[in-house]
Amino acid sequence: MMLSTRVATSSPRAIRSRFSGSLVLRSFSALLPNWATLDPSSLGTSPEPHAVHNIVNGKWSTSQTSLVIPNPMDKDAPPVCTIPDTQGNELGPFIESLKNVPKSGVHNPLKNVERYLQFGEISRKAGAALSDPITADFFAKSIQKTVPKSYAQAMGEVKVTADFLNNFGGDNVRFLARSFGVPGDHHGQFSHGHRWPYGGVAIVAPFNFPLEIPVLQLMGALFMGNKPVLKPAEKCALVMEQFLHLLHDCGMDTKDVDLLNCQGPVAEQLILDADVRLTQFTGSSRVAERLLEVTKGKVKIEDAGFDWKIIGPDGVDDLDYVAWQCDQDAYACSGQKCSAESILFAHVNWERAGLFDKMKENAATRSLDDLSIGPVLTQTTKIILDHTSRLLQIPGAKLLFGGKELANHNIPEVYGAVEPTAVFVPLKEMLKEEHFSACTTEIFGPFQVACTTEIFGPFQVVTTFNDEEICHVLDACERMSHHLTAAVVSNDVEFQTTILAHTVNGTTYAGRRARTTGAPQNHWFGPAGDARGAGIGTPEAIKMVWSCHREIILDTVVPGDWTQPKAT
């Protein structure tokens, strides 16, 4: 689906003059970072929208045509920005840049080792910059203008990114490349295990966390010695353009990262023509499967998550808290999180205590005014409401709340504008073959339903179970195809252990405060049960995704009494 239109762009000479120095001349507010090339307050309001640029081999550039990114909150307002609509016949410099990277990477444990320290210092400086209130506010407001979410959610994304960068200041980058040794079979033999880079790599980043996800993966790739090309989502490309300006200001060589703005087929062409050694993809399952096929498996994926929450049979004393967390998990960021609560299995005790009524009350407080609800950037209103109607045809299904278009909005028709929605589907009906696939279809939007289709938005599935039906709940979890996050809301150790022992989701919270959302820098976030899965944020995730194992065996001493044996 096309969200934007093409326009001719300015000449290369004009662009070179804009980027001729370390800083671009600006006339906007002084309360902005000195490296910034835009003012967030002008995005979607200025008649001359900000023009995002590519960078390749250290040079900022554009393409012959551009895509216009509409204002996601007001279809009558000026565009947020334009981005290069790079075409296949313009990929030459990007292909050459990646092909010039050796398979041994830009640095590795035996080559250019000073770069580990350099990136430790770059990470320290960037973390300090993002911890500065002015810089943090700059990125939070830039995020809001491209992917409308509440200021608290946008600032939370900035904080996680800053904390991640702070974590890898100093020696922690080279600690990622820590080797190990094992004594050999005889004198002079010793084996060494090393973490080795891939060389030229690609990152295809999603729209929903335009700073956090691409930064964490990008820095991981750089830390381990790779040369990455980053393809951000078109809707929010300006965020990572600005972050690269920050990295350059913190001392990163302008040739270390290429930024390519283009549409999906062109990115695929680059990955194939440049023989990219590894692609890390975060986004929809459909695109992930396509990339895996065309690259013959050279992809690490963090794709869709149909994320479940199970609320156990123990007491309902914390009803208000559990209801609040359900609302946050399903509808914060308008449900546009890969960790959003897609389906809720609540023990009947909680339904009797009024959990669903509390959830409805909380959802009713969400408003466009503070962006606690906002546009769905991957589906139209019609698609989301049609899916709602399909689920309501299941016997026993009912609308708990929502299921309507937002009132008094001016969101472009290419996006969705839907109230926080919950559809109840009886557990036994959901498990029937004719209904289960409809309940597990991936649709990006804010919707919570009683079946296993992921609506990437304010939409969730709700159902109930009793003590005799726990096996049916586990059957539903087993039949789901994607296993990213999950929550077991229970302090009953026996119940908690039963659920955890028979499920597989890679990031699972357990206990009365369990949630499905939350991708902080202090623990693994990623799927499980899939050999292709990619994690993010932790040392283990970085090493697993962005390096491979290389064993070097030293065998140096020939015994003085050696004699040649008979051939074998």
Side-chain angles (χ1 to χ4, degrees), residues 300-302 483-485 504-509 518-530 533-545:
K300 286 287 188 178
I301 60 173
E302 197 264 275
H483 309 289
L484 182 56
T485 71
V504 70
N505 296 47
T507 304
T508 303
Y509 289 87
Q521 74 295 333
N522 63 306
H523 68 65
W524 165 276
F525 183 85
D530 190 338
I536 190 171
T538 63
E540 294 78 14
I542 292 171
K543 288 183 282 188
M544 185 192 82
V545 174

Side-chain angles (χ1 to χ4, degrees), residues 317-518:
D317 297 339
D318 302 303
L319 178 62
D320 287 344
Y321 182 89
V322 172
W324 169 80
Q325 189 64 68
C326 287
D327 177 77
Q328 283 293 109
D329 283 344
Y331 307 126
C333 296
S334 301
Q336 295 173 111
K337 297 183 179 183
C338 53
S339 58
E341 183 177 309
S342 305
I343 185 167
L344 172 64
F345 300 91
H347 191 275
V348 290
N349 291 348
W350 291 86
E351 181 187 26
R352 294 169 186 151
L355 173 64
F356 300 161
D357 292 333
K358 289 277 186 181
M359 290 165 54
K360 181 177 181 179
E361 292 172 10
N362 288 333
T365 67
R366 294 187 172 272
S367 170
L368 277 173
D369 294 338
D370 60 4
L371 292 178
S372 54
I373 194 69
V376 179
L377 301 187
T378 55
Q379 297 293 338
T380 65
T381 301
K382 183 179 186 303
I383 288 174
I384 298 171
L385 295 183
D386 285 350
H387 184 66
T388 307
S389 299
R390 161 68 181 88
L391 292 174
L392 290 174
Q393 294 172 11
I394 297 172
K398 58 185 177 181
L399 183 69
L400 295 181
F401 52 85
K404 296 184 289 186
E405 184 172 355
L406 290 171
N408 303 317
H409 74 83
N410 202 34
I411 293 169
E413 287 81 2
V414 293
Y415 299 141
V418 177
E419 292 181 359
T421 299
V423 174
F424 177 89
V425 177
L427 180 59
K428 290 184 179 179
E429 290 293 333
M430 181 198 309
L431 292 173
K432 291 180 179 178
E433 194 64 38
E434 61 266 32
H435 301 318
F436 195 76
S437 61
C439 298
T440 54
T441 300
E442 178 191 10
I443 303 178
F444 280 9
F447 191 99
Q448 192 176 14
V449 296
C451 298
T452 53
T453 297
E454 183 188 14
I455 299 288
F456 207 59
F459 188 107
Q460 94 179 287
V461 180
V462 177
T463 194
T464 57
F465 66 97
N466 58 37
D467 293 343
E468 289 71 39
E469 293 176 317
I470 294 174
C471 59
H472 297 311
V473 174
L474 290 173
D475 178 41
C477 295
E478 180 71 17
R479 290 168 62 184
M480 295 176 196
S481 59
H482 296 85
H483 309 289
L484 182 56
T485 71
V488 184
V489 184
S490 175
N491 286 340
D492 182 322
V493 175
E494 183 176 355
F495 177 83
Q496 190 183 97
T497 303
T498 297
I499 301 300
L500 294 175
H502 293 89
T503 54
V504 70
N505 296 47
T507 304
T508 303
Y509 289 87
R512 184 53 60 89
R513 297 184 65 177
R515 54 183 176 162
T516 65
T517 57

Side-chain angles (χ1 to χ4, degrees), residues 48-125:
E48 295 184 7
H50 172 70
V52 175
H53 291 76
N54 294 330
I55 185 170
V56 58
N57 204 27
K59 297 180 181 178
W60 291 99
S61 63
T62 188
S63 60
Q64 294 178 354
T65 57
S66 291
L67 294 174
V68 177
I69 306 302
N71 186 319
M73 291 297 294
D74 186 352
K75 62 186 178 183
D76 298 322
V80 171
C81 64
T82 65
I83 68 166
D85 185 20
T86 310
Q87 299 298 298
N89 59 8
E90 299 175 288
L91 289 177
F94 291 93
I95 295 171
E96 180 183 6
S97 177
L98 290 172
K99 284 194 170 183
N100 284 338
V101 184
K103 293 178 181 178
S104 57
V106 185
H107 63 264
N108 62 48
L110 300 178
K111 179 177 76 173
N112 297 331
V113 295
E114 66 279 358
R115 282 175 58 89
Y116 291 113
L117 291 178
Q118 289 172 6
F119 273 102
E121 181 64 5
I122 292 166
S123 190
R124 183 193 67 80
K125 289 181 177 178

